[in-house]
Amino acid sequence: MSDLQHITDGKVVTMQYALTNAQCVVVREASEAPISYLHGAGILFSKLEQALAEHAVGDIVTVRLLPDDAFGKREMELLQEVPMDDFPPGEDIRVGGRVTGRNENGDMVDFTVTAIREDIAYLDGNHPLAGQTLVFEVEIQGIRDASDEELSQ
């Protein structure tokens, strides 16, 4: 019997990955620090986690996720136009900046300022990768049993 471990629920997996969108724009370089996650805990996107199941150290797995399997479709109701006078005095409102506000349901949402024209700030509450097909290229670097503490979290 082989001592080779495979990814199953309750294993801590260390992996390196590169992330691109469907147009091959690099979102994350593979040279960034590896990450670890507890398999089966719902930390990763469900379809990504399913694709990694049963793989072993050294395996390279390419997974393509449609928007509904990743950050979802872009939601038009998360686009807002806010007069600059509506922001608290002294708040730093600039293109590319982030502000916290409420959506139509009163829930707190982080918005990105996408434009400022004629004293109107254009805000987008969608995740920056919403609406995009994403391609993960994952290298499995380590697999180990999770500790009791890791499992309890």
Side-chain angles (χ1 to χ4, degrees), residues 82-88 93 116 119-121:
V82 179
M84 292 295 288
D85 291 343
D86 286 0
F87 292 100
I93 306 299
I116 299 173
D119 290 329
I120 301 288

Side-chain angles (χ1 to χ4, degrees), residues 15 17-22 44-53 55 60-66 69-70 133-140:
M15 65 183 202
Y17 72 98
L19 176 60
T20 58
N21 66 17
L44 301 182
F45 297 120
S46 177
K47 289 205 175 178
L48 176 58
E49 195 169 58
Q50 290 170 13
L52 296 176
H55 281 278
I60 295 176
V61 183
T62 301
V63 182
R64 182 181 174 101
L65 298 181
L66 297 174
D69 300 323
T133 296
L134 302 176
V135 180
F136 288 83
E137 187 168 323
V138 179
E139 178 186 4
I140 308 303

Side-chain angles (χ1 to χ4, degrees), residues 3-7 12-15 52 54-61 138-144:
D3 288 336
L4 184 65
Q5 288 198 50
H6 289 86
I7 298 174
V12 173
V13 179
T14 301
M15 65 183 202
L52 296 176
E54 298 302 324
H55 281 278
V57 171
D59 287 355
I60 295 176
V61 183
V138 179
E139 178 186 4
I140 308 303
Q141 296 184 330
I143 302 170
R144 65 171 174 79

Side-chain angles (χ1 to χ4, degrees), residues 92-107:
D92 185 20
I93 306 299
R94 58 190 145 100
V95 174
R98 308 272 299 165
V99 296
T100 301
R102 296 192 182 274
N103 65 13
E104 293 173 350
N105 299 327
D107 301 319

